Amino acid sequence: MNIRVINGPNLNMLGIREPDIYGKTTYASLCQMIKDYADEKGVDVELFQSNHEGDLVDYIQDSLGKADGIVINPGAYTHTSIAILDAAKAVNLPMVEVHISDVDEREPFRKTSYIRAACLKTISGHGISGYTEAIDFLIGRKNEG
Ligand code: DQA
Protein backbone atom coordinates (compact mmCIF):
# COMPACT_ATOMS: atom_id res chain seq x y z
CA MET A 1 0.00 0.00 0.00
CA ASN A 2 1.27 3.47 -0.91
CA ILE A 3 0.13 6.54 0.98
CA ARG A 4 1.06 10.05 -0.03
CA VAL A 5 1.19 12.73 2.64
CA ILE A 6 0.82 16.22 1.24
CA ASN A 7 1.42 19.44 3.14
CA GLY A 8 0.61 22.90 1.85
CA PRO A 9 2.00 26.36 2.48
CA ASN A 10 3.91 27.26 5.62
CA LEU A 11 3.91 23.72 6.98
CA ASN A 12 7.63 23.66 6.17
CA MET A 13 7.85 26.29 8.96
CA LEU A 14 6.56 23.91 11.63
CA GLY A 15 8.46 24.28 14.88
CA ILE A 16 9.14 27.94 14.07
CA ARG A 17 5.70 29.27 13.12
CA GLU A 18 3.28 30.08 15.94
CA PRO A 19 4.44 27.26 18.23
CA ASP A 20 1.54 27.94 20.62
CA ILE A 21 -0.83 26.88 17.86
CA TYR A 22 1.20 24.37 15.82
CA GLY A 23 3.64 23.01 18.40
CA LYS A 24 7.40 22.78 18.48
CA THR A 25 7.95 19.78 16.23
CA THR A 26 9.80 20.76 13.05
CA TYR A 27 8.68 19.71 9.57
CA ALA A 28 11.76 17.45 9.31
CA SER A 29 10.80 15.71 12.58
CA LEU A 30 7.21 15.36 11.41
CA CYS A 31 8.43 13.68 8.21
CA GLN A 32 10.64 11.30 10.20
CA MET A 33 7.77 10.46 12.54
CA ILE A 34 5.49 9.68 9.57
CA LYS A 35 8.17 7.55 7.87
CA ASP A 36 8.84 5.59 11.06
CA TYR A 37 5.12 5.04 11.57
CA ALA A 38 4.62 3.87 7.99
CA ASP A 39 7.58 1.46 8.36
CA GLU A 40 6.04 0.05 11.52
CA LYS A 41 2.74 -0.48 9.72
CA GLY A 42 4.38 -1.91 6.59
CA VAL A 43 3.12 0.74 4.18
CA ASP A 44 5.07 2.85 1.69
CA VAL A 45 4.84 6.55 2.32
CA GLU A 46 5.79 9.49 0.15
CA LEU A 47 5.93 13.01 1.53
CA PHE A 48 5.45 16.24 -0.36
CA GLN A 49 5.30 19.86 0.77
CA SER A 50 4.85 22.96 -1.31
CA ASN A 51 4.00 26.60 -0.80
CA HIS A 52 2.58 26.77 -4.34
CA GLU A 53 -1.00 25.91 -5.23
CA GLY A 54 -0.20 24.65 -8.75
CA ASP A 55 2.53 22.35 -7.45
CA LEU A 56 0.04 20.84 -5.03
CA VAL A 57 -2.44 20.35 -7.89
CA ASP A 58 0.32 18.71 -9.99
CA TYR A 59 1.28 16.35 -7.18
CA ILE A 60 -2.32 15.32 -6.52
CA GLN A 61 -2.77 14.61 -10.25
CA ASP A 62 0.50 12.66 -10.28
CA SER A 63 -0.87 10.42 -7.50
CA LEU A 64 -3.33 8.76 -9.87
CA GLY A 65 -2.22 5.16 -10.43
CA LYS A 66 0.61 5.54 -7.90
CA ALA A 67 -1.04 6.08 -4.51
CA ASP A 68 -3.74 4.08 -2.72
CA GLY A 69 -4.63 6.99 -0.50
CA ILE A 70 -3.73 10.57 0.33
CA VAL A 71 -3.37 12.41 3.61
CA ILE A 72 -3.55 16.14 2.97
CA ASN A 73 -3.09 19.25 5.04
CA PRO A 74 -3.54 22.02 2.48
CA GLY A 75 -2.71 24.74 5.04
CA ALA A 76 -4.35 28.04 4.15
CA TYR A 77 -5.36 26.65 0.73
CA THR A 78 -7.92 24.60 2.66
CA HIS A 79 -9.98 27.76 2.94
CA THR A 80 -9.48 29.14 -0.57
CA SER A 81 -8.57 26.56 -3.20
CA ILE A 82 -11.18 25.22 -5.56
CA ALA A 83 -8.28 24.07 -7.79
CA ILE A 84 -7.00 21.70 -5.10
CA LEU A 85 -10.54 20.42 -4.49
CA ASP A 86 -10.99 19.80 -8.21
CA ALA A 87 -7.67 17.92 -8.42
CA ALA A 88 -8.74 15.76 -5.48
CA LYS A 89 -12.08 15.03 -7.15
CA ALA A 90 -10.33 14.30 -10.44
CA VAL A 91 -8.08 11.56 -9.02
CA ASN A 92 -10.87 10.26 -6.77
CA LEU A 93 -8.49 8.56 -4.32
CA PRO A 94 -9.38 7.89 -0.67
CA MET A 95 -8.33 11.09 1.04
CA VAL A 96 -8.14 12.32 4.63
CA GLU A 97 -7.97 16.01 5.55
CA VAL A 98 -5.68 16.80 8.47
CA HIS A 99 -5.21 20.01 10.43
CA ILE A 100 -2.82 20.31 13.33
CA SER A 101 -4.94 23.01 14.97
CA ASP A 102 -8.69 22.85 15.48
CA VAL A 103 -9.79 24.95 12.52
CA ASP A 104 -13.41 25.05 13.69
CA GLU A 105 -12.42 26.75 16.94
CA ARG A 106 -10.35 29.55 15.37
CA GLU A 107 -11.13 32.56 13.16
CA PRO A 108 -14.41 32.23 11.21
CA PHE A 109 -12.57 32.16 7.85
CA ARG A 110 -10.93 28.87 8.88
CA LYS A 111 -14.32 27.16 9.19
CA THR A 112 -14.62 26.94 5.40
CA SER A 113 -12.89 23.92 3.90
CA TYR A 114 -13.06 23.31 0.17
CA ILE A 115 -11.04 20.09 0.29
CA ARG A 116 -13.47 18.51 2.80
CA ALA A 117 -15.93 17.75 0.01
CA ALA A 118 -13.39 15.32 -1.50
CA CYS A 119 -12.31 13.71 1.80
CA LEU A 120 -13.63 10.63 3.59
CA LYS A 121 -12.63 12.03 6.96
CA THR A 122 -11.34 15.19 8.63
CA ILE A 123 -8.97 15.12 11.60
CA SER A 124 -8.58 18.56 13.13
CA GLY A 125 -6.98 19.71 16.34
CA HIS A 126 -5.14 16.50 17.23
CA GLY A 127 -1.72 18.07 16.69
CA ILE A 128 0.76 16.09 14.61
CA SER A 129 -0.85 12.81 15.75
CA GLY A 130 -3.54 13.64 13.20
CA TYR A 131 -1.21 12.45 10.44
CA THR A 132 -0.72 8.98 11.91
CA GLU A 133 -4.43 8.74 12.72
CA ALA A 134 -5.13 9.49 9.08
CA ILE A 135 -2.69 6.79 7.96
CA ASP A 136 -4.43 4.32 10.31
CA PHE A 137 -7.79 5.27 8.84
CA LEU A 138 -6.57 4.62 5.27
CA ILE A 139 -4.97 1.30 6.25
CA GLY A 140 -8.15 0.23 8.11
CA ARG A 141 -10.29 1.11 5.15
CA LYS A 142 -8.09 -0.86 2.75
CA ASN A 143 -8.08 -3.90 5.05
CA GLU A 144 -11.86 -3.81 5.30
CA GLY A 145 -12.36 -4.16 1.71
C1 DQA B 1 -3.67 24.37 9.29
C2 DQA B 1 -4.79 25.36 9.62
C3 DQA B 1 -4.90 26.39 8.53
O1 DQA B 1 -5.96 27.30 8.82
C4 DQA B 1 -3.62 27.19 8.42
O2 DQA B 1 -3.71 28.13 7.37
C5 DQA B 1 -2.43 26.32 8.27
C6 DQA B 1 -2.35 25.09 9.05
C7 DQA B 1 -3.43 23.38 10.45
O3 DQA B 1 -2.73 22.40 10.21
O4 DQA B 1 -3.93 23.58 11.56
O5 DQA B 1 -1.47 26.66 7.59
O6 DQA B 1 -4.02 23.63 8.15
Side-chain angles (χ1 to χ4, degrees):
M1 178 177 194
N2 178 289
I3 296 174
R4 286 187 162 188
V5 179
I6 303 176
N7 278 289
N10 299 306
L11 287 153
N12 57 316
M13 296 290 282
L14 277 182
I16 299 162
R17 75 182 289 214
E18 303 179 90
D20 293 350
I21 297 175
Y22 299 112
K24 291 188 179 150
T25 305
T26 61
Y27 180 68
S29 302
L30 171 68
C31 291
Q32 195 55 57
M33 180 196 85
I34 291 169
K35 282 181 196 155
D36 291 346
Y37 193 76
D39 275 355
E40 219 176 274
K41 296 282 171 177
V43 298
D44 292 331
V45 77
E46 287 176 89
L47 291 128
F48 181 76
Q49 188 278 329
S50 177
N51 294 325
H52 305 280
E53 188 175 18
D55 290 346
L56 294 162
V57 168
D58 285 344
Y59 193 72
I60 292 167
Q61 289 183 5
D62 179 71
S63 302
L64 191 60
K66 295 181 184 161
D68 301 299
I70 292 177
V71 175
I72 187 163
N73 181 350
Y77 287 138
T78 304
H79 319 299
T80 63
S81 181
I82 298 167
I84 291 175
L85 168 65
D86 284 349
K89 284 186 168 173
V91 298
N92 196 27
L93 287 164
M95 196 174 285
V96 181
E97 173 189 17
V98 170
H99 300 287
I100 295 167
S101 66
D102 188 349
V103 283
D104 289 319
E105 297 298 327
R106 296 181 63 193
E107 302 95 324
F109 60 81
R110 292 187 207 273
K111 288 190 203 292
T112 299
S113 168
Y114 285 97
I115 194 72
R116 200 159 297 172
C119 291
L120 296 171
K121 188 179 171 72
T122 296
I123 300 169
S124 180
H126 295 191
I128 57 168
S129 309
Y131 291 91
T132 50
E133 285 173 39
I135 289 171
D136 277 342
F137 175 82
L138 291 172
I139 294 170
R141 197 182 164 275
K142 175 128 187 170
N143 290 343
E144 273 162 26

Short mmCIF file of all heavy atoms in Angstrom, two decimals, residues 9-11 17 21-22 73-79 98-103 106 109-110 131, ligand 1:
data_model
loop_
_atom_site.label_atom_id
_atom_site.label_comp_id
_atom_site.label_asym_id
_atom_site.label_seq_id
_atom_site.Cartn_x
_atom_site.Cartn_y
_atom_site.Cartn_z
N PRO A 9 1.15 25.23 2.13
CA PRO A 9 2.00 26.36 2.48
C PRO A 9 2.22 26.54 3.97
O PRO A 9 1.32 26.34 4.79
CB PRO A 9 1.25 27.58 1.91
CG PRO A 9 -0.13 27.10 1.63
CD PRO A 9 -0.03 25.64 1.35
N ASN A 10 3.46 26.91 4.27
CA ASN A 10 3.91 27.26 5.62
C ASN A 10 4.08 26.07 6.56
O ASN A 10 4.57 26.23 7.67
CB ASN A 10 3.00 28.33 6.26
CG ASN A 10 3.00 29.60 5.46
OD1 ASN A 10 4.08 30.14 5.18
ND2 ASN A 10 1.84 30.07 5.03
N LEU A 11 3.71 24.88 6.09
CA LEU A 11 3.91 23.72 6.98
C LEU A 11 5.39 23.34 7.04
O LEU A 11 5.81 22.69 7.99
CB LEU A 11 2.99 22.58 6.56
CG LEU A 11 1.56 22.97 6.98
CD1 LEU A 11 0.50 22.32 6.13
CD2 LEU A 11 1.30 22.69 8.45
N ARG A 17 6.91 28.45 13.24
CA ARG A 17 5.70 29.27 13.12
C ARG A 17 4.77 29.04 14.31
O ARG A 17 4.47 27.90 14.67
CB ARG A 17 4.97 28.99 11.80
CG ARG A 17 4.21 27.68 11.77
CD ARG A 17 3.52 27.38 10.46
NE ARG A 17 2.38 28.21 10.17
CZ ARG A 17 1.30 27.77 9.51
NH1 ARG A 17 1.22 26.52 9.08
NH2 ARG A 17 0.30 28.58 9.25
N ILE A 21 0.29 27.47 18.62
CA ILE A 21 -0.83 26.88 17.86
C ILE A 21 -0.40 25.55 17.23
O ILE A 21 -1.14 24.56 17.27
CB ILE A 21 -1.31 27.85 16.76
CG1 ILE A 21 -1.86 29.12 17.39
CG2 ILE A 21 -2.37 27.18 15.86
CD1 ILE A 21 -2.27 30.21 16.40
N TYR A 22 0.80 25.53 16.64
CA TYR A 22 1.20 24.37 15.82
C TYR A 22 2.23 23.47 16.49
O TYR A 22 2.61 22.44 15.92
CB TYR A 22 1.72 24.86 14.46
CG TYR A 22 0.68 25.63 13.68
CD1 TYR A 22 0.82 26.99 13.43
CD2 TYR A 22 -0.46 24.99 13.20
CE1 TYR A 22 -0.15 27.70 12.72
CE2 TYR A 22 -1.43 25.68 12.49
CZ TYR A 22 -1.27 27.04 12.26
OH TYR A 22 -2.24 27.73 11.56
N ASN A 73 -2.88 18.03 4.26
CA ASN A 73 -3.09 19.25 5.04
C ASN A 73 -2.78 20.41 4.08
O ASN A 73 -1.62 20.75 3.89
CB ASN A 73 -2.17 19.29 6.26
CG ASN A 73 -2.40 20.55 7.08
OD1 ASN A 73 -3.10 21.47 6.66
ND2 ASN A 73 -1.80 20.61 8.26
N PRO A 74 -3.80 20.97 3.47
CA PRO A 74 -3.54 22.02 2.48
C PRO A 74 -3.18 23.38 3.08
O PRO A 74 -3.05 24.36 2.34
CB PRO A 74 -4.86 22.11 1.69
CG PRO A 74 -5.72 20.99 2.16
CD PRO A 74 -5.24 20.63 3.53
N GLY A 75 -3.02 23.45 4.41
CA GLY A 75 -2.71 24.74 5.04
C GLY A 75 -3.78 25.75 4.69
O GLY A 75 -4.98 25.42 4.63
N ALA A 76 -3.37 26.98 4.43
CA ALA A 76 -4.35 28.04 4.15
C ALA A 76 -5.14 27.79 2.86
O ALA A 76 -6.26 28.31 2.71
CB ALA A 76 -3.63 29.38 4.07
N TYR A 77 -4.60 26.97 1.96
CA TYR A 77 -5.36 26.65 0.73
C TYR A 77 -6.62 25.85 1.03
O TYR A 77 -7.52 25.77 0.19
CB TYR A 77 -4.49 25.90 -0.29
CG TYR A 77 -3.45 26.77 -0.96
CD1 TYR A 77 -2.16 26.31 -1.17
CD2 TYR A 77 -3.77 28.05 -1.42
CE1 TYR A 77 -1.20 27.09 -1.79
CE2 TYR A 77 -2.82 28.84 -2.04
CZ TYR A 77 -1.54 28.36 -2.23
OH TYR A 77 -0.59 29.13 -2.85
N THR A 78 -6.68 25.26 2.22
CA THR A 78 -7.92 24.60 2.66
C THR A 78 -9.11 25.53 2.46
O THR A 78 -10.19 25.11 2.01
CB THR A 78 -7.84 24.30 4.18
OG1 THR A 78 -6.68 23.54 4.44
CG2 THR A 78 -9.08 23.59 4.68
N HIS A 79 -8.88 26.79 2.83
CA HIS A 79 -9.98 27.76 2.94
C HIS A 79 -10.22 28.55 1.66
O HIS A 79 -11.11 29.38 1.61
CB HIS A 79 -9.68 28.73 4.09
CG HIS A 79 -9.10 28.06 5.30
ND1 HIS A 79 -9.78 27.08 6.00
CD2 HIS A 79 -7.89 28.18 5.92
CE1 HIS A 79 -9.01 26.65 7.00
NE2 HIS A 79 -7.86 27.30 6.97
N VAL A 98 -6.27 16.66 7.13
CA VAL A 98 -5.68 16.80 8.47
C VAL A 98 -5.36 18.27 8.74
O VAL A 98 -4.85 18.97 7.86
CB VAL A 98 -4.38 15.96 8.59
CG1 VAL A 98 -3.62 16.29 9.87
CG2 VAL A 98 -4.69 14.47 8.55
N HIS A 99 -5.68 18.70 9.94
CA HIS A 99 -5.21 20.01 10.43
C HIS A 99 -4.64 19.82 11.81
O HIS A 99 -5.26 19.15 12.66
CB HIS A 99 -6.36 21.03 10.48
CG HIS A 99 -6.95 21.26 9.14
ND1 HIS A 99 -6.30 21.96 8.16
CD2 HIS A 99 -8.11 20.80 8.60
CE1 HIS A 99 -7.05 21.95 7.08
NE2 HIS A 99 -8.14 21.26 7.31
N ILE A 100 -3.49 20.41 12.03
CA ILE A 100 -2.82 20.31 13.33
C ILE A 100 -3.66 21.03 14.39
O ILE A 100 -3.90 20.51 15.47
CB ILE A 100 -1.40 20.90 13.22
CG1 ILE A 100 -0.57 20.03 12.26
CG2 ILE A 100 -0.74 21.00 14.61
CD1 ILE A 100 0.74 20.67 11.83
N SER A 101 -4.10 22.23 14.05
CA SER A 101 -4.94 23.01 14.97
C SER A 101 -6.41 22.68 14.71
O SER A 101 -6.75 22.07 13.68
CB SER A 101 -4.70 24.50 14.75
OG SER A 101 -5.14 24.89 13.47
N ASP A 102 -7.25 23.09 15.65
CA ASP A 102 -8.69 22.85 15.48
C ASP A 102 -9.29 24.02 14.70
O ASP A 102 -9.65 25.05 15.26
CB ASP A 102 -9.36 22.71 16.85
CG ASP A 102 -10.81 22.28 16.73
OD1 ASP A 102 -11.34 22.29 15.60
OD2 ASP A 102 -11.41 21.93 17.76
N VAL A 103 -9.38 23.84 13.39
CA VAL A 103 -9.79 24.95 12.52
C VAL A 103 -11.20 25.47 12.81
O VAL A 103 -11.50 26.63 12.53
CB VAL A 103 -9.64 24.59 11.01
CG1 VAL A 103 -8.20 24.65 10.58
CG2 VAL A 103 -10.26 23.25 10.67
N ARG A 106 -11.22 28.38 15.57
CA ARG A 106 -10.35 29.55 15.37
C ARG A 106 -11.13 30.67 14.67
O ARG A 106 -12.32 30.81 14.87
CB ARG A 106 -9.09 29.09 14.62
CG ARG A 106 -8.25 28.09 15.44
CD ARG A 106 -6.99 27.66 14.71
NE ARG A 106 -6.11 28.81 14.47
CZ ARG A 106 -5.06 28.77 13.64
NH1 ARG A 106 -4.78 27.66 12.97
NH2 ARG A 106 -4.31 29.83 13.48
N PHE A 109 -12.96 32.52 9.22
CA PHE A 109 -12.57 32.16 7.85
C PHE A 109 -11.94 30.77 7.77
O PHE A 109 -11.86 30.18 6.69
CB PHE A 109 -11.64 33.22 7.23
CG PHE A 109 -10.34 33.45 7.97
CD1 PHE A 109 -9.26 32.59 7.78
CD2 PHE A 109 -10.19 34.53 8.83
CE1 PHE A 109 -8.06 32.81 8.44
CE2 PHE A 109 -9.00 34.73 9.51
CZ PHE A 109 -7.93 33.88 9.32
N ARG A 110 -11.51 30.21 8.91
CA ARG A 110 -10.93 28.87 8.88
C ARG A 110 -11.99 27.77 8.94
O ARG A 110 -11.69 26.58 8.84
CB ARG A 110 -9.92 28.69 10.03
CG ARG A 110 -8.69 29.53 9.86
CD ARG A 110 -7.63 29.24 10.90
NE ARG A 110 -6.80 30.40 11.11
CZ ARG A 110 -5.70 30.70 10.39
NH1 ARG A 110 -5.30 29.91 9.43
NH2 ARG A 110 -5.02 31.80 10.64
N TYR A 131 -1.76 13.08 11.65
CA TYR A 131 -1.21 12.45 10.44
C TYR A 131 -1.19 10.92 10.57
O TYR A 131 -1.53 10.21 9.63
CB TYR A 131 0.20 12.97 10.15
CG TYR A 131 0.24 14.42 9.71
CD1 TYR A 131 0.41 15.45 10.64
CD2 TYR A 131 0.13 14.77 8.36
CE1 TYR A 131 0.45 16.78 10.26
CE2 TYR A 131 0.18 16.10 7.96
CZ TYR A 131 0.33 17.11 8.92
OH TYR A 131 0.38 18.42 8.52
C1 DQA B 1 -3.67 24.37 9.29
C2 DQA B 1 -4.79 25.36 9.62
C3 DQA B 1 -4.90 26.39 8.53
O1 DQA B 1 -5.96 27.30 8.82
C4 DQA B 1 -3.62 27.19 8.42
O2 DQA B 1 -3.71 28.13 7.37
C5 DQA B 1 -2.43 26.32 8.27
C6 DQA B 1 -2.35 25.09 9.05
C7 DQA B 1 -3.43 23.38 10.45
O3 DQA B 1 -2.73 22.40 10.21
O4 DQA B 1 -3.93 23.58 11.56
O5 DQA B 1 -1.47 26.66 7.59
O6 DQA B 1 -4.02 23.63 8.15
#
